[in-house]
């Protein structure tokens, strides 16, 4: 489906905010499967938002690649046994783990004392080189955000720099209660920095693991443990993609995964609301039949 929306807003409050905005964007979403006789691939999906449609839809996000992969995934094989290896997460899939991290940086988790990053401000929580910038007004995104949920003007901020946590995502209430600085923006409009290697090089340097293209799992546990099914994914052995896989589980721990990043691709994908690369995590448990 594709939808065009345009809206005008006036935002004013006692914090001195007064914005008159007019915004328009296209939102595209698709779900698909491939069939050959009685065989079919697992369903997959993707989408993006954009201020225009100058680029063909097939060339946006990873639409063309995912459709090609879907035809390859009509016939899948299961992995025998269990091993600890690498997981290369695609940009389509990485938000599962980014959200698992940033959810612990918000007011709710911190006030309850349940955050896995409770006292980690200005400490290393990810491998050096990993960064998340929050850019609520970036022209790279189709829907800028000018005001936070509690009525303050948004500003650019760096959430993680070179693996170090630079700010919590707390609102004014949380800042007062926790005696922390109020975040200049919210948990959105992420730019996850690209790395210094190509996706092809990451695959070639992977001894054994999977290319994780879709992840079906529940919310992470309070300690960051996460597990689920690797859908629409591929086995990698000796630096080569071998075949699409089925009935495969992956499990890990989010804090450990981000401290064990072994590769970040130069290539990134812009979904209109987030920009992200391919990221390789080491030490993840992968289980077949």
């Amino acid at each position: 489906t594709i939808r065009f929306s345009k809206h005008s807003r006036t935002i004013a409050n006692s914090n001195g905010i007064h914005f008159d905005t007019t915004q328009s964007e296209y939102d595209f979403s698709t779900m698909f499967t491939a069939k050959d006789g009685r065989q079919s691939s697992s369903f997959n999906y993707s989408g993006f938002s954009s201020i225009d449609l100058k680029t063909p839809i097939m060339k946006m996000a990873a639409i063309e690649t995912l459709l090609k992969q879907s035809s390859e995934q009509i016939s899948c094989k299961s992995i025998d046994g269990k091993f600890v290896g690498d997981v290369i997460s695609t940009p389509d899939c990485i938000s599962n783990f980014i959200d698992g991290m940033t959810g612990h940086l918000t007011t709710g988790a911190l006030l309850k004392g349940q955050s896995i990053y409770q006292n980690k401000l200005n400490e290393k929580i990810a491998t050096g080189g990993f960064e998340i910038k929050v850019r609520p007004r970036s022209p790279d995104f189709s829907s800028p955000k000018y005001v936070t949920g509690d009525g303050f003007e948004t500003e650019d901020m760096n959430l993680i720099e070179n693996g170090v946590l630079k700010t919590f995502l707390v609102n004014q209430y949380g800042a007062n209660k926790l005696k922390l600085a109020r975040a200049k923006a919210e948990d959105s409009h992420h730019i996850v920095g690209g790395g210094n290697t190509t996706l092809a090089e990451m695959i070639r340097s992977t001894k054994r693991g999977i290319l994780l293209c879709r992840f079906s799992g529940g919310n992470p546990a309070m300690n960051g443990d996460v597990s689920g099914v690797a859908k629409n994914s591929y086995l990698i052995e000796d630096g080569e993609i071998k075949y699409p896989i089925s009935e495969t589980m992956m499990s890990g721990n989010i804090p450990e995964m981000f401290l064990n990043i072994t590769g970040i691709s130069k290539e990134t994908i812009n979904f209109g609301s987030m920009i992200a690369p391919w990221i390789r995590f080491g030490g993840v448990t992968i289980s077949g039949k």
Side-chain angles (χ1 to χ4, degrees):
T1 60
I2 189 165
R3 180 184 68 184
F4 175 78
S5 60
K6 182 176 182 178
H7 55 264
S8 297
R9 292 176 179 165
T10 295
I11 306 169
N13 64 29
S14 58
N15 289 326
I17 295 295
H18 190 156
F19 284 109
D20 294 304
T21 65
T22 298
Q23 297 174 213
S24 59
E25 65 179 332
Y26 293 89
D27 291 291
F28 176 79
S29 62
T30 180
M31 178 176 285
F32 46 87
T33 185
K35 292 187 176 182
D36 184 6
R38 295 190 176 185
Q39 288 186 304
S40 64
S41 67
S42 176
F43 278 98
N44 206 350
Y45 57 88
S46 189
F48 63 85
S49 59
S50 177
I51 59 173
D52 59 51
L53 293 178
K54 293 179 181 178
T55 302
I57 287 174
M58 285 286 284
K59 301 297 182 181
M60 296 290 281
I63 304 296
E64 189 171 31
T65 297
L66 293 176
L67 288 171
K68 176 179 179 293
Q69 289 177 346
S70 192
S71 65
E72 297 170 349
Q73 293 158 4
I74 291 173
S75 179
C76 296
K77 299 179 183 179
S78 59
I79 297 173
D80 291 329
K82 177 191 292 188
F83 67 94
V84 175
D86 293 329
V87 167
I88 300 177
S89 175
T90 64
D92 277 274
C93 194
I94 196 61
S95 61
N96 290 279
F97 310 114
I98 298 286
D99 291 348
M101 168 190 274
T102 60
H104 280 267
L105 304 177
T106 59
T107 298
L110 291 164
L111 280 177
K112 293 174 184 176
Q114 296 176 337
S115 172
I116 52 183
Y117 302 114
Q118 193 77 28
N119 300 303
K120 299 293 185 180
L121 191 62
N122 293 317
E123 293 186 17
K124 182 179 178 181
I125 66 168
T127 301
F130 178 76
E131 66 177 22
I132 300 179
K133 297 176 181 177
V134 180
R135 297 292 184 264
R137 303 192 200 182
S138 171
D140 291 320
F141 297 132
S142 62
S143 183
K145 189 166 188 177
Y146 297 97
V147 181
T148 65
D150 55 351
F152 292 91
E153 183 176 353
T154 59
E155 298 179 50
D156 290 350
M157 68 179 190
N158 293 344
L159 186 59
I160 298 173
E161 293 180 4
N162 199 27
V164 175
L165 177 64
K166 303 305 292 184
T167 183
F168 286 115
L169 294 166
V170 294
N171 55 22
Q172 185 65 70
Y173 175 78
N176 291 341
K177 285 287 189 179
L178 295 161
K179 294 181 172 51
L180 294 169
R182 176 182 58 82
K184 297 177 181 179
E186 297 178 315
D187 189 16
S188 65
H189 297 77
H190 295 161
I191 299 178
V192 184
N196 54 13
T197 186
T198 66
L199 173 60
E201 289 167 343
M202 285 169 58
I203 292 171
R204 282 197 297 269
S205 62
T206 298
K207 180 65 176 176
R208 196 174 192 210
I210 60 173
L211 177 65
L212 182 68
C213 302
R214 183 161 72 89
F215 180 74
S216 178
N219 291 327
M222 291 307 300
N223 68 348
D225 285 347
V226 62
S227 65
V229 182
K231 298 277 192 177
N232 305 98
S233 299
Y234 294 82
L235 175 67
I236 303 173
E237 283 187 332
D238 298 322
E240 294 182 357
I241 293 178
K242 292 297 185 180
Y243 52 79
I245 56 177
S246 64
E247 301 178 37
T248 302
M249 296 284 295
M250 63 146 284
S251 58
N253 177 272
I254 284 177
E256 293 176 5
M257 288 171 65
F258 280 97
L259 285 167
N260 199 15
I261 293 174
T262 58
I264 302 174
S265 71
K266 292 179 180 177
E267 304 98 325
T268 61
I269 289 181
N270 186 349
F271 296 97
S273 56
M274 177 183 185
I275 298 173
W278 283 256
I279 297 179
R280 183 174 62 189
F281 300 102
V284 179
T285 300
I286 299 161
S287 307
K289 290 204 318 183

